[in-house]
Amino acid sequence: MEKKKIIEVENLVKKYGDFTAVKGISFDVFEGEIFGLLGPNGAGKSTTLEIIETLREKTSGKVVVGGYDLDKSPNDIKKIIGVQLQSSGYYPGLNLIELIEMFGGLYNQPVKPLQLLGMFNLEDKAKAQYKELSGGQKQRFSIATTLINKPQIIFLDEPTTGLDPQARRNLWDLIQEVRNQGTTVVITTHYMDEAEFLCNRCAIVDSGRIIAIDSPDALIDKLVSSGFERKKEVKKANLEDVFIHLTGKELREE
Ligand code: ADP
């Protein structure tokens, strides 16, 4: 079956004054996949993401999301996407239930706050304020809020930065769960283990250009078939395996 394109980016360019941060990149995202934009800091990942999210003006190029042209129908795009808000948007006086109800009101969507919080293991925190949450809980809540308007696509910008190994793995499971329920996921990350675990396909971005795009498996196979070998013999476990083995997989932050 032909996979359906849900995002099409063609020759996207973004200039900040004299500096060209995004230098004519093109890629497609297919419905139902987890697509990753990988790259070092400053590569242009967030700029690209924010242009697709309608939050930043592009300099040139074509972007189509869910069949809507960014130049003609940005408001239609806004309706079918879910975006993580900056934490400053979480009014300090409101608890998690009230925040979800408020966002539901803004989006004109009926919401079931406890059900949504339950999906993200936050039911115990329903009456807490955002500032009272741990790092992992804050990330889970911010991903939960991207689903309030029942979007076709969600965008996650470095969703696990700063989290401990348990919280990261827990978030990976949740992101897969969101995808399994039918939402296309676009994430940025500079953690390659995260991309290898989560992404169906990824684009490696460097200095504003896509230098490779494929499934993690295919990218690795291509490197290996070129004769590349790791210098050190690979052990059957790594330090993170030791850490998880000793401390367990359970979240500690509750
Ligand atoms: P990434 O998300 O991959 O770390 P960004 O998209 O944030 O990269 O940034 C790409 C480049 O554009 C960086 O060199 C950054 O300094 C520059 N940049 C980002 N935002 C602005 C801005 N508002 N004004 C000027 N330069 C910017």
Side-chain angles (χ1 to χ4, degrees):
M1 204 177 75
E2 178 79 355
K3 280 184 272 179
K4 197 174 153 206
K5 290 177 190 171
I6 196 159
I7 298 175
E8 299 170 65
V9 175
E10 235 179 82
N11 213 4
L12 181 66
V13 174
K14 175 65 180 182
K15 290 187 179 162
Y16 295 112
D18 290 344
F19 174 68
T20 308
V22 177
K23 300 176 179 137
I25 67 174
S26 303
F27 62 93
D28 298 323
V29 177
F30 298 113
E31 210 170 65
E33 72 177 350
I34 301 179
F35 183 86
L37 286 171
L38 320 183
N41 288 330
K45 305 181 296 292
S46 302
T47 299
T48 303
L49 213 64
E50 286 174 15
I51 290 169
I52 300 171
E53 291 169 338
T54 77
L55 299 176
R56 222 179 259 237
E57 294 275 325
K58 62 182 163 59
T59 303
S60 63
K62 190 173 165 75
V63 176
V64 178
V65 181
Y68 297 112
D69 188 321
L70 178 64
D71 291 329
K72 296 179 197 138
S73 320
N75 288 328
D76 291 311
I77 293 179
K78 283 187 189 131
K79 284 183 199 146
I80 60 161
I81 66 171
V83 171
Q84 278 181 297
L85 298 175
Q86 300 300 315
S87 55
S88 55
Y90 300 136
Y91 294 91
L94 302 183
N95 66 35
L96 301 192
I97 292 184
E98 292 162 342
L99 283 169
I100 291 172
E101 283 169 346
M102 183 195 73
F103 289 128
L106 290 177
Y107 290 127
N108 208 6
Q109 286 278 348
V111 286
K112 294 187 178 138
L114 280 176
Q115 191 184 328
L116 187 62
L117 291 172
M119 179 178 170
F120 288 86
N121 303 322
L122 287 167
E123 56 273 70
D124 296 348
K125 296 286 167 187
K127 296 277 173 62
Q129 294 175 4
Y130 179 78
K131 65 172 187 288
E132 295 164 347
L133 304 180
S134 72
Q137 290 163 345
K138 280 181 175 152
Q139 278 295 359
R140 297 209 297 282
F141 181 69
S142 109
I143 296 176
T145 62
T146 68
L147 298 177
I148 290 173
N149 61 332
K150 302 180 182 68
Q152 294 177 30
I153 312 163
I154 62 168
F155 294 90
L156 307 177
D157 201 355
E158 299 189 3
T160 67
T161 296
L163 300 186
D164 69 40
Q166 280 91 356
R168 287 182 77 213
R169 287 176 184 220
N170 176 268
L171 212 63
W172 292 354
D173 291 343
L174 282 169
I175 292 169
Q176 283 194 323
E177 178 69 24
V178 169
R179 189 272 314 273
N180 292 346
Q181 293 189 9
T183 310
T184 304
V185 180
V186 179
I187 76 168
T188 69
T189 183
H190 46 247
Y191 297 122
M192 294 307 127
D193 57 340
E194 178 160 299
E196 199 175 332
F197 182 88
L198 275 181
C199 294
N200 298 100
R201 288 187 316 126
C202 51
I204 299 179
V205 187
D206 193 20
S207 305
R209 290 199 169 85
I210 291 181
I211 51 176
I213 182 165
D214 214 325
S215 66
D217 237 14
L219 290 169
I220 294 166
D221 287 349
K222 193 171 168 203
L223 177 65
V224 170
S225 72
S226 76
F228 178 91
E229 267 181 58
R230 278 198 196 179
K231 286 210 180 72
K232 230 165 67 176
E233 193 192 325
V234 180
K235 293 186 186 174
K236 285 182 179 157
N238 61 22
L239 187 58
E240 180 159 318
D241 295 322
V242 174
F243 182 84
I244 296 277
H245 181 75
L246 292 174
T247 63
K249 282 191 177 155
E250 295 309 307
L251 290 170
R252 298 307 178 77
E253 55 198 358
E254 325 295 334

